[in-house]
Amino acid sequence: MNENSPPPPAPPRRSDATRTAILDAARERFAADGYERATIRAIAKHANIDPSMVMRYYGNKEGLFAAAMAIDLKLPEPGALSREDVGRALVTHFLGMWEENEVLTALLRVGATNQAGAERMQGIFADQLLPLAHRVCPDPEQAPARAALASSQLLGLALTRYVLRFPPAVALSPEELVAWLAPTVQRYLTAPHPA
């Protein structure tokens, strides 16, 4: 190594690996068991660590749940989407997220049966989807209702395809799902208010 070379990267700390193992195990247990039945002991066993380590890093089950279910939807910046294509862009984006990210499925399962999970889901959608709705809807006062209606379609798809696994919903290709849902999401976000 010459004197101008950058130093080699530091190896990952063991605590980072432990935290990752805990969060991965927590997501799986919350998804499989729900919030109420998932226990610190079961999560620790799943992660092959002592339960005291879970408590050390996250304090309690609520803290662990909050950390495990922290999610960035990675929505496009509101200004980056054309108003005319927002429905297609959102459905395509969310479908890709559901296909690749089990955290969303776990959060949906827990949110349907637990108040803390529901509040976490409400916060994520309010913080991340509402700004987009404000930008594209014709009346900013209607943005919360329109974002909720768009969410009903996106979450309904996730529930039927990834949680309940309705065979016809599972059988549809991503292209078919976008073709069916995009016009509805588009209408919810941008159409004039129904009389």
Side-chain angles (χ1 to χ4, degrees):
M1 173 159 84
N2 69 40
E3 60 191 49
N4 294 331
S5 298
R13 295 187 348 222
R14 192 166 46 175
S15 63
D16 292 340
T18 301
R19 287 177 193 266
T20 299
I22 292 169
L23 292 176
D24 289 345
R27 289 179 189 118
E28 289 185 38
R29 294 282 35 102
F30 285 131
D33 303 336
Y35 181 84
E36 301 301 329
R37 291 187 329 194
T39 65
I40 295 291
R41 287 191 185 282
I43 290 165
K45 182 178 179 182
H46 193 96
N48 294 318
I49 61 163
D50 188 271
S52 66
M53 294 301 289
V54 177
M55 303 303 282
R56 175 180 170 200
Y57 289 123
Y58 299 102
N60 55 31
K61 188 161 87 167
E62 292 79 17
L64 176 59
F65 178 75
M69 297 301 151
I71 187 157
D72 179 359
L73 296 176
K74 297 181 173 85
L75 292 175
E77 286 296 320
L81 292 176
S82 74
R83 189 172 187 274
E84 296 74 29
D85 196 41
V86 69
R88 177 170 293 282
L90 278 179
V91 174
T92 301
H93 179 79
F94 273 96
L95 191 57
M97 291 283 293
W98 291 113
E99 292 283 333
E100 298 171 8
N101 193 331
E102 293 179 9
V103 176
L104 283 172
T105 304
L107 189 55
L108 182 61
R109 283 188 176 118
V110 172
T113 60
N114 173 269
Q115 185 61 35
E119 289 170 2
R120 172 63 89 191
M121 194 76 132
Q122 291 164 9
I124 289 169
F125 277 81
D127 294 344
Q128 298 181 45
L129 186 60
L130 194 54
L132 188 125
H134 271 291
R135 181 180 178 288
V136 300
C137 81
D139 181 349
E141 289 182 16
Q142 297 170 357
R146 289 171 179 258
L149 289 168
S151 296
S152 73
Q153 295 300 303
L154 298 167
L155 294 174
L157 166 64
L159 182 66
T160 57
R161 184 173 172 93
Y162 303 106
V163 176
L164 301 175
R165 302 200 49 81
F166 288 5
V170 173
L172 288 168
S173 72
E175 296 78 19
E176 289 173 302
L177 289 167
V178 171
W180 279 104
L181 287 179
T184 302
V185 172
Q186 181 74 34
R187 181 173 58 85
Y188 283 154
L189 292 173
T190 64
H193 190 279

